[in-house]
Amino acid sequence: MLSLLWMTSCRTITLRCPKAFGQVVEVDTVTVVEIAPPVSEAEVSDAPEQVSATLETNSLDTLPPVAQGYQWLTYRGKADVTDPEGTRTCNFYMVNRTDSILYLNLHASGIEFIRVVCTPDSFIYVNKLKYEYYKGSYEPLQRISGLPMDFSMIQSVLNGTIDEETEAALRAKRWEVTPSAYAPLDSARSFFTELTLKDLNRLVEIHAVMKLIRLDVPGPTAIHIPDRFKELKMP
């Protein structure tokens, strides 16, 4: 499973919320994400960011409905990946045009080391540290991971829209995916700000925290494979 933060300009408030809103129970505290203007791919780094708008949420009695029906979803974040060898941290930038294309950029200290672009028919992976790439179908990933991995599953995990069938398929392979910490994006929509992917065999756990969540703001989805990179031959 691909490795996926600091929350910038955030604050905690107490809300009374119906249990229907994901992980938020009747009375809970949530972290409010404050939205900044769109950024270019060149700005995807660890540099400090300014927030241009502040959500007026102190008087909310309930969270707004979880966002849906959007065409584009973009967010940045930080992930802690824990396995028997310890915990490692990386930053990421995700862009998804719903049911069309998904772009994932992993970077640390401002240096990109992995880029992935998924479509319903293909999976492209470029490792800039090892000068290698893979371009092809999802079948090798399914064999290596043991998961029914395809575009739909990856999209549903990163969008927090896992249906019962996908959840059952993951659990059958001893994986659990949990979006949580729902917070208002504006007066009409909320979204999760944390995502946990856990191997129930306790081999690996990924905990990601999202920031700068934007709906219907297009982002970059391009990928370039240098000629000198070596193609990975998947079994």
Side-chain angles (χ1 to χ4, degrees):
M1 186 71 64
L2 289 173
S3 301
L4 297 183
L5 253 166
W6 302 296
M7 300 296 294
T8 62
S9 301
C10 61
R11 50 202 169 92
T12 300
I13 60 174
T14 300
L15 303 175
R16 291 184 174 83
C17 311
K19 293 183 178 180
F21 292 128
Q23 304 297 315
V24 182
V25 294
E26 185 175 355
V27 177
D28 207 347
T29 59
V30 299
T31 300
V32 176
V33 180
E34 298 185 338
I35 307 303
V39 296
S40 66
E41 181 182 1
E43 294 176 276
V44 180
S45 67
D46 296 330
E49 297 151 37
Q50 293 184 327
V51 176
S52 64
T54 301
L55 297 175
E56 297 297 332
T57 55
N58 289 327
S59 62
L60 285 178
D61 293 322
T62 62
L63 279 173
V66 175
Q68 56 183 316
Y70 48 84
Q71 185 177 26
W72 287 88
L73 166 66
T74 68
Y75 55 68
R76 290 196 259 174
K78 177 168 286 190
D80 294 323
V81 183
T82 302
D83 60 22
E85 297 182 359
T87 299
R88 296 173 301 281
T89 299
C90 73
N91 300 302
F92 63 89
Y93 177 46
M94 198 281 295
V95 178
N96 176 216
R97 182 173 182 177
T98 308
D99 300 330
S100 176
I101 194 166
L102 189 147
Y103 167 104
L104 186 64
N105 169 321
L106 305 183
H107 58 281
S109 300
I111 301 173
E112 176 184 321
F113 56 90
I114 288 177
R115 185 177 296 194
V116 172
V117 171
C118 307
T119 71
D121 300 319
S122 68
F123 181 90
I124 305 172
Y125 161 89
V126 176
N127 188 320
K128 295 187 175 182
L129 295 182
K130 296 184 176 181
Y131 303 102
E132 59 188 20
Y133 73 95
Y134 168 77
K135 182 178 182 179
S137 71
Y138 290 88
E139 291 180 9
L141 300 177
Q142 295 167 357
R143 290 196 296 269
I144 292 171
S145 67
L147 296 171
M149 190 179 295
D150 57 13
F151 178 83
S152 178
M153 173 176 283
I154 295 172
Q155 177 178 260
S156 66
V157 168
L158 295 180
N159 287 21
T161 56
I162 302 170
D163 57 24
E164 292 183 359
E165 182 179 353
T166 302
E167 183 179 15
L170 288 167
R171 279 194 164 272
K173 298 297 183 179
R174 303 290 293 162
W175 275 91
E176 180 180 76
V177 180
T178 308
S180 60
Y182 287 78
L185 293 180
D186 52 35
S187 61
R189 300 173 297 185
S190 66
F191 208 79
F192 70 97
T193 62
E194 297 187 28
L195 182 67
T196 302
L197 295 82
K198 183 183 296 185
D199 178 355
L200 299 180
N201 293 319
R202 300 184 182 276
L203 296 178
V204 63
E205 180 175 335
I206 302 169
H207 180 251
V209 182
M210 290 70 174
K211 63 180 180 180
L212 297 180
I213 301 165
R214 300 187 185 90
L215 302 180
D216 291 322
V217 178
T221 56
I223 192 166
H224 171 69
I225 304 173
D227 294 337
R228 68 181 184 279
F229 280 28
K230 180 180 178 181
E231 183 176 5
L232 286 171
K233 300 297 182 182
M234 295 290 192

